[in-house]
Amino acid sequence: VKLQFWFEFASTYSYPAVMRIGKIAAARRVEIEWRPFLLGPLFHAQQGMKDSPFNVVPVKGSYVWRDVERICQKYDLPFRRPGKFPQNGLMAARITLSLPQEERPNFVKAVYQASFVHDRDISDPHILHAAARRAGLDPLEVLSAMRSEPIKDQLREETAKAADLGIFGAPSFVTRDGELFWGNDRLEDALDWTVRGTLRPNTQN
Amino acid sequence: VKLQFWFEFASTYSYPAVMRIGKIAAARRVEIEWRPFLLGPLFHAQQGMKDSPFNVVPVKGSYVWRDVERICQKYDLPFRRPGKFPQNGLMAARITLSLPQEERPNFVKAVYQASFVHDRDISDPHILHAAARRAGLDPLEVLSAMRSEPIKDQLREETAKAADLGIFGAPSFVTRDGELFWGNDRLEDALDWTVRGTLRPNTQN
């Protein structure tokens, strides 16, 4: 069975989800569809926001950075608060879309690590080049996607599709029967629903 | 050890937290401080919002109602989407503040059930009267708190205190060492932190 995994490269909570999803999906025999999209246009269209809500509402931002730090400790993931937030993930999203599904996870992880571990500018082609190499891809072939017109269109369509699915944040998970789950903290629930069509009864505390 | 539990009677996600916290805190030998506050003034001061974000952003609202429904199924809690949202929890908060800690849980649960199970108006003194009776309290004694000037002041102070702690939503949990956790989905983490001062290593998936 399949689960759609929608992520945005600028999204903080997408980072732990990106790093965690492969292993726990495999343990449940769920196949993940990696689907990059752009959250900026959705924030603007749905909420009139021109910046991350973590910047717009400072008290929420302070909380979120501490929360993400704790979450990364919990899951043993290195994390450094980026100097600039949010980053521009447009090029990374285009490159990801140009890759077949099986090549996406390693590239996506490498980009998130550049961003949230090494505080690199992920709109910089040199950083994306290095991420492609680290993912075992041919960087020159991969980087051409940054300027490809069909890929640009495809990313716009994917972002529109995300909106159609009711997505308003990242990471988001959509099951085959149309259930939407939002947030790294819903990853296990989304997988449970995918496998069993319900959250009961094995997930209770 | 103690954990502060900050809740707002209008808050949807506070409902599952209110119903769940007693049992799992007892299992971890954590003592819960039940602290009602008003989220409205904080939403307004911090985010300029005059209504629930679930009403202000419809796509988020649609998600939230489905999410809460699924969460309640997961934890075997009855739930009915209220006809009117958000409700006015001012009187219920004042009454709660007038009660000693040990009398708060049953009254608070009865009010949340009136709201999120039976779709009753929790600003109606008759409903609060019934909730007090169901909690084993003397309704006439309890209802006098609705008009008590010292209690009005105390609720204002508690709400200011919540803001000072960095709270911007409900439910929120604050540990003795000052860690803030926001959301029903952080309840277990808040308890783990209270007991062990970290989220690692027993909470990993």
Side-chain angles (χ1 to χ4, degrees):
Chain A
V1 283
K2 283 191 182 181
L3 177 66
Q4 297 176 7
F5 173 35
W6 294 83
F7 54 94
E8 145 74 56
F9 279 98
S11 151
T12 320
Y13 287 105
S14 293
Y15 164 58
V18 157
M19 302 308 291
R20 296 168 59 225
I21 195 169
K23 190 174 166 189
I24 58 179
R28 288 164 165 88
R29 299 173 185 279
V30 172
E31 188 183 334
I32 300 298
E33 255 182 48
W34 293 65
R35 302 185 72 161
F37 73 110
L38 298 182
L39 193 49
L42 268 54
F43 274 162
H44 191 234
Q46 295 167 343
Q47 308 195 38
M49 284 193 297
K50 291 178 180 178
D51 193 357
S52 161
F54 308 159
N55 292 338
V56 173
V57 184
V59 67
K60 206 167 190 172
S62 305
Y63 171 78
V64 158
W65 292 113
R66 177 59 182 149
D67 189 49
V68 170
E69 194 172 53
R70 285 188 310 229
I71 287 170
C72 289
Q73 277 174 8
K74 173 174 170 175
Y75 294 112
D76 232 341
L77 297 169
F79 171 76
R80 192 200 300 179
R81 179 172 170 172
K84 188 191 157 221
F85 179 83
Q87 290 220 46
N88 182 345
L90 176 66
M91 294 302 165
R94 285 187 190 153
I95 292 173
T96 307
L97 266 190
S98 78
L99 300 173
Q101 277 293 333
E102 65 273 21
E103 292 183 356
R104 292 185 185 185
N106 285 341
F107 176 73
V108 171
K109 284 185 208 174
V111 175
Y112 274 94
Q113 286 172 322
S115 182
F116 292 104
V117 182
H118 306 294
D119 196 13
R120 296 284 191 268
D121 178 355
I122 60 166
S123 67
D124 179 343
H126 294 96
I127 300 300
L128 294 168
H129 185 278
R133 245 191 314 115
R134 220 169 310 124
L137 305 173
D138 176 349
L140 291 185
E141 197 181 314
V142 156
L143 290 188
S144 68
M146 295 195 308
R147 306 284 165 205
S148 150
E149 290 301 328
I151 295 285
K152 287 182 191 179
D153 288 343
Q154 205 187 326
L155 181 55
R156 273 184 220 109
E157 283 158 22
E158 284 290 283
T159 298
K161 171 82 181 162
D164 288 346
L165 289 167
I167 289 173
F168 55 91
S172 287
F173 311 95
V174 181
T175 66
R176 266 212 321 197
D177 56 349
E179 293 286 331
L180 170 64
F181 292 87
W182 172 46
N184 169 67
D185 48 26
R186 294 292 189 282
L187 171 53
E188 283 78 2
D189 280 356
L191 287 165
D192 285 346
W193 191 284
T194 301
V195 173
R196 299 187 283 108
T198 173
L199 302 183
R200 297 181 60 195
N202 291 323
T203 50
Q204 294 198 27
N205 272 285
Chain B
V1 285
K2 282 192 184 181
L3 178 67
Q4 297 177 7
F5 172 36
W6 293 83
F7 53 93
E8 146 73 56
F9 280 99
S11 151
T12 320
Y13 287 105
S14 293
Y15 165 58
V18 157
M19 302 307 291
R20 294 168 62 226
I21 195 169
K23 190 174 166 188
I24 60 180
R28 288 163 166 86
R29 298 174 186 279
V30 172
E31 188 183 333
I32 300 299
E33 255 181 50
W34 292 65
R35 301 185 72 160
F37 75 109
L38 298 182
L39 194 48
L42 269 55
F43 274 162
H44 190 235
Q46 296 168 341
Q47 308 196 39
M49 283 193 299
K50 293 179 182 178
D51 193 358
S52 162
F54 309 157
N55 291 339
V56 173
V57 184
V59 67
K60 205 166 191 172
S62 306
Y63 171 77
V64 158
W65 292 113
R66 177 59 182 149
D67 189 49
V68 170
E69 193 172 54
R70 285 188 309 229
I71 286 170
C72 289
Q73 276 174 6
K74 174 175 170 177
Y75 294 112
D76 231 341
L77 297 168
F79 172 76
R80 192 200 300 179
R81 178 172 171 173
K84 187 191 159 223
F85 179 83
Q87 290 222 44
N88 181 345
L90 177 65
M91 294 302 165
R94 285 187 191 155
I95 293 173
T96 307
L97 266 190
S98 78
L99 300 173
Q101 278 293 334
E102 66 273 19
E103 292 183 355
R104 292 184 185 185
N106 285 342
F107 175 72
V108 172
K109 285 186 208 173
V111 176
Y112 274 94
Q113 286 172 321
S115 183
F116 292 104
V117 182
H118 305 294
D119 197 13
R120 296 285 190 268
D121 178 354
I122 61 166
S123 67
D124 179 342
H126 293 97
I127 300 301
L128 294 168
H129 185 280
R133 244 192 315 117
R134 221 169 309 123
L137 306 173
D138 176 349
L140 292 185
E141 197 180 316
V142 156
L143 290 188
S144 68
M146 295 194 309
R147 307 283 165 206
S148 150
E149 291 301 327
I151 295 285
K152 287 183 191 179
D153 288 343
Q154 206 187 325
L155 181 55
R156 274 183 218 109
E157 283 157 23
E158 285 290 284
T159 298
K161 171 82 180 161
D164 287 345
L165 289 167
I167 289 173
F168 55 91
S172 288
F173 312 94
V174 181
T175 66
R176 267 214 319 199
D177 56 349
E179 293 285 331
L180 170 63
F181 293 86
W182 171 46
N184 169 67
D185 48 27
R186 293 292 188 282
L187 171 53
E188 283 78 3
D189 280 356
L191 287 165
D192 285 347
W193 191 285
T194 300
V195 173
R196 298 187 285 108
T198 173
L199 301 183
R200 298 180 60 195
N202 292 324
T203 49
Q204 294 196 27
N205 272 286

